[in-house]
Amino acid sequence: MVISPGRSSRRASNGAKTQIIQPGDKLTLRIWDSSDNSLLTLIEQKMVQLQDVRVAANGTIFMPYVGNVNVLGLTPDLAREKLQDELESIVPAAQLQLDMAEGRNNSVDLVSGVARPGTYPMPNRNFSVMGLISMGGGISAGLNNPQIRLVRGHHIYGTSVDNLLTISNIIGNFFGVFSRACIL
């Protein structure tokens, strides 16, 4: 199995169980404005939705009338607050809702050694190797003494799955550091 998150974070820090916005993520912005002379909505309309706004490689998104806003490394809640602040100077009565869909840098590749290899979104920053193996349908039954390989940049880390099961908290704590993992 090869596991490949494109972002780095450490579970050992026990950070908040939330996502961090990365390049390639898609944001959906819903802007509510009840003003009669709104720049964003029609007279009968109270909300406008900007669907699938992709975070650029430099971490910015474009908002009409506001311009480019950097959201790289922010949680969705912090990004919503930042975008709301930027929007208020243009449309003071507007309120903003934000949803995030994980892109390539907030997902993991499970390459082999599991029932369902594929790309899986990272549900939060503290996601463990065991959770990922579970999402992939578990370790393939036909493997004899399966090994796991975690790759980050040019470094490869490995252990047996037996060790992973024995010391899952230790390995899980290091998961966010890796780019790929492989069960052989």
Side-chain angles (χ1 to χ4, degrees):
M1 160 179 72
V2 174
I3 303 172
S4 171
R7 64 184 170 70
S8 65
S9 63
R10 292 182 180 265
R11 181 181 169 158
S13 69
N14 290 324
K17 288 191 174 191
T18 186
Q19 288 290 51
I20 298 295
I21 296 174
Q22 297 291 323
D25 289 344
K26 291 181 182 177
L27 305 180
T28 297
L29 309 175
R30 280 182 295 286
I31 303 168
W32 297 83
D33 185 9
S34 60
S35 299
D36 291 334
N37 297 326
S38 175
L39 289 172
L40 302 174
T41 60
L42 300 173
I43 293 173
E44 298 297 321
Q45 189 181 22
K46 297 299 178 194
M47 186 267 296
V48 64
Q49 182 166 303
L50 304 174
Q51 183 78 31
D52 293 334
V53 178
R54 187 175 301 275
V55 178
N58 66 358
T60 63
I61 64 165
F62 177 79
M63 282 183 57
Y65 302 107
V66 173
N68 289 324
V69 180
N70 190 342
V71 294
L72 181 66
L74 299 178
T75 65
D77 286 341
L78 289 175
R80 190 206 62 76
E81 289 176 17
K82 183 174 185 176
L83 294 168
Q84 176 79 39
D85 289 344
E86 295 284 340
L87 188 60
E88 281 178 356
S89 64
I90 307 300
V91 186
Q95 295 184 5
L96 184 127
Q97 290 178 302
L98 182 143
D99 290 321
M100 178 181 137
E102 296 85 358
R104 181 72 196 115
N105 289 328
N106 268 324
S107 62
V108 177
D109 292 330
L110 215 52
V111 176
S112 64
V114 293
R116 292 184 307 275
T119 300
Y120 293 88
M122 295 291 288
N124 63 59
R125 294 186 293 180
N126 297 328
F127 198 58
S128 71
V129 172
M130 295 301 293
L132 180 62
I133 290 171
S134 177
M135 284 177 71
I139 298 168
S140 298
L143 296 177
N144 186 20
N145 188 27
Q147 302 289 308
I148 188 165
R149 298 288 178 256
L150 302 171
V151 180
R152 180 65 173 175
H154 300 292
H155 301 289
I156 300 173
Y157 306 87
T159 189
S160 70
V161 171
D162 286 340
N163 282 342
L164 178 68
L165 294 171
T166 303
I167 57 170
S168 64
N169 282 340
I170 293 171
I171 297 297
N173 287 343
F174 291 113
F175 175 66
V177 176
F178 302 107
S179 294
R180 299 185 185 272
C182 181
I183 295 181
L184 308 167

